[in-house]
Amino acid sequence: MKFTKKQIDRYSRQIILKKIGVIGQKKLLKSSVLIVGAGGLGSPIAIYLAALGIGKIGIVDKDNVEMSNLARQIIFETNDINKKKPSTAISKLKKINPDIQLRSFNENLTRININQIAKSFDLIVDGSDNFRTRFLINDYCAESKKILVSGAISKFDGQVYTFNFSKKKSPCLRCFIPKIPNNPDVDNCEFEGVLGPLAGIIGSIQANEVVKEILEIGDTLCGNILIIDALKLTFRKVKLNKREGCYCNEKN
Ligand SMILES: [Zn+2]
């Protein structure tokens, strides 16, 4: 693959970085990322990943845009209310970067369709809002040895964790939350509220993790959970250990 003049110009500030360069930028353009959830986290994740040149991006979400989404789901506008989220998000991303492939899946991720939807993507970014989906993605990534970058937000608190299941030592979500908590479908944002910019902080950290995992640069969060308190503005990195007897041991 040879860069066009436009591509060199578009990605020049990344190509100039020694740890990325032409080779790294080509690697990003050859990579594919599935974003689960076109919400508060999915918005900044999708905008950054499209802008920085991930070659193929898929977005899966069943919801339509609602008024109550707009305070944090910055990819959508007031005019988008009642429109389908993934296809609406993708029409925005096309304007940001016409250089990449985009796919929308207007459905909920389930045990039945997850392989069909996710199999052609190298990496999955979880921006979903419920435990059922979180566990489904965790188990699928552990089985198919894909990289998972997951984020969660509620009130003023956020978490990010990365699992690179191609590495034997990677723990999984079930290593520290063995069972799906009660009310697995509860959307915390709806019941507990959330501060808009927190979605931007967590989603941006997830996008940053995606780039590092693809390029194998720096230290990713793999094996740690990052806990952020936006009120006190503290960032804590806590080591996660692989739990003996956990599901992921059989799969790795
Ligand atoms: Zn595990």
Side-chain angles (χ1 to χ4, degrees), residues 65 67 70 76-82 92:
V65 181
M67 182 67 91
L70 299 178
F76 304 119
E77 300 162 31
T78 309
N79 281 343
D80 296 326
I81 290 171
N82 294 327
K92 306 282 165 70

Side-chain angles (χ1 to χ4, degrees), residues 138 165 170-176 242-243 246-249:
N138 175 77
F165 291 110
S170 175
C172 84
L173 178 61
R174 288 183 191 271
C175 288
F176 62 104
K242 215 171 155 90
R243 184 172 55 83
C246 180
Y247 171 85
C248 62
N249 290 299

Side-chain angles (χ1 to χ4, degrees), residues 145-165:
K145 300 199 174 3
K146 287 187 193 287
I147 302 167
L148 167 62
V149 179
S150 198
I153 47 172
S154 177
K155 299 181 192 170
F156 298 97
D157 302 316
Q159 291 120 39
V160 186
Y161 49 82
T162 301
F163 301 131
N164 184 338
F165 291 110

Side-chain angles (χ1 to χ4, degrees), residues 218-241:
D219 298 317
T220 75
L221 271 176
C222 189
N224 296 275
I225 182 165
L226 181 69
I227 301 167
I228 293 164
D229 176 336
L231 274 185
K232 292 185 182 148
L233 201 60
T234 55
F235 290 61
R236 272 195 306 139
K237 211 158 118 177
V238 179
K239 179 130 185 58
L240 297 174
N241 290 316

Side-chain angles (χ1 to χ4, degrees), residues 8-237:
I8 291 174
D9 201 10
R10 179 182 287 274
Y11 305 119
S12 58
R13 302 303 190 268
Q14 290 174 174
I15 291 172
I16 209 169
L17 294 170
K18 277 207 179 91
K19 285 194 184 301
I20 299 183
V22 170
I23 293 171
Q25 188 60 52
K26 282 185 179 172
K27 212 169 169 186
L28 294 172
L29 280 164
K30 278 186 192 149
S31 63
S32 55
V33 176
L34 180 69
I35 301 168
V36 182
L41 297 173
S43 292
I45 294 167
I47 291 169
Y48 274 119
L49 294 185
L52 69 84
I54 297 294
K56 181 176 141 191
I57 296 175
I59 301 182
V60 48
D61 196 312
K62 195 176 191 296
D63 293 345
N64 291 350
V65 181
E66 293 174 18
M67 182 67 91
S68 64
N69 298 153
L70 299 178
R72 66 188 178 287
Q73 302 185 13
I74 54 167
I75 202 165
F76 304 119
E77 300 162 31
T78 309
N79 281 343
D80 296 326
I81 290 171
N82 294 327
K83 290 184 193 166
K84 287 179 175 165
K85 281 186 170 182
S87 45
T88 308
I90 272 170
S91 68
K92 306 282 165 70
L93 299 180
K94 265 186 195 151
K95 289 184 202 159
I96 293 172
N97 191 352
D99 194 32
I100 57 170
Q101 278 183 58
L102 296 158
R103 285 207 60 189
S104 63
F105 303 91
N106 280 110
E107 51 199 308
N108 273 331
L109 212 52
T110 66
R111 220 161 270 289
I112 315 246
N113 66 13
I114 190 166
N115 185 49
Q116 192 58 34
I117 291 174
K119 68 181 175 193
S120 69
F121 294 90
D122 309 322
L123 194 150
I124 300 186
V125 191
D126 179 9
S128 68
D129 57 10
N130 65 81
F131 271 108
R132 201 184 293 280
T133 310
R134 251 170 232 294
F135 276 79
L136 175 70
I137 300 170
N138 175 77
D139 297 352
Y140 174 75
C141 288
E143 273 169 43
S144 54
K145 300 199 174 3
K146 287 187 193 287
I147 302 167
L148 167 62
V149 179
S150 198
I153 47 172
S154 177
K155 299 181 192 170
F156 298 97
D157 302 316
Q159 291 120 39
V160 186
Y161 49 82
T162 301
F163 301 131
N164 184 338
F165 291 110
S166 66
K167 294 179 179 157
K168 272 199 176 348
K169 60 179 187 343
S170 175
C172 84
L173 178 61
R174 288 183 191 271
C175 288
F176 62 104
I177 310 177
K179 278 194 183 139
I180 299 185
N182 290 337
N183 303 324
D185 297 319
V186 163
D187 168 359
N188 284 334
C189 297
E190 192 177 338
F191 292 96
E192 298 187 325
V194 65
L195 179 68
L198 178 63
I201 296 171
I202 299 292
S204 301
I205 291 174
Q206 286 180 270
N208 196 54
E209 285 290 293
V210 168
V211 172
K212 291 191 300 173
E213 281 292 345
I214 291 170
L215 300 182
E216 298 175 86
I217 56 171
D219 298 317
T220 75
L221 271 176
C222 189
N224 296 275
I225 182 165
L226 181 69
I227 301 167
I228 293 164
D229 176 336
L231 274 185
K232 292 185 182 148
L233 201 60
T234 55
F235 290 61
R236 272 195 306 139
K237 211 158 118 177

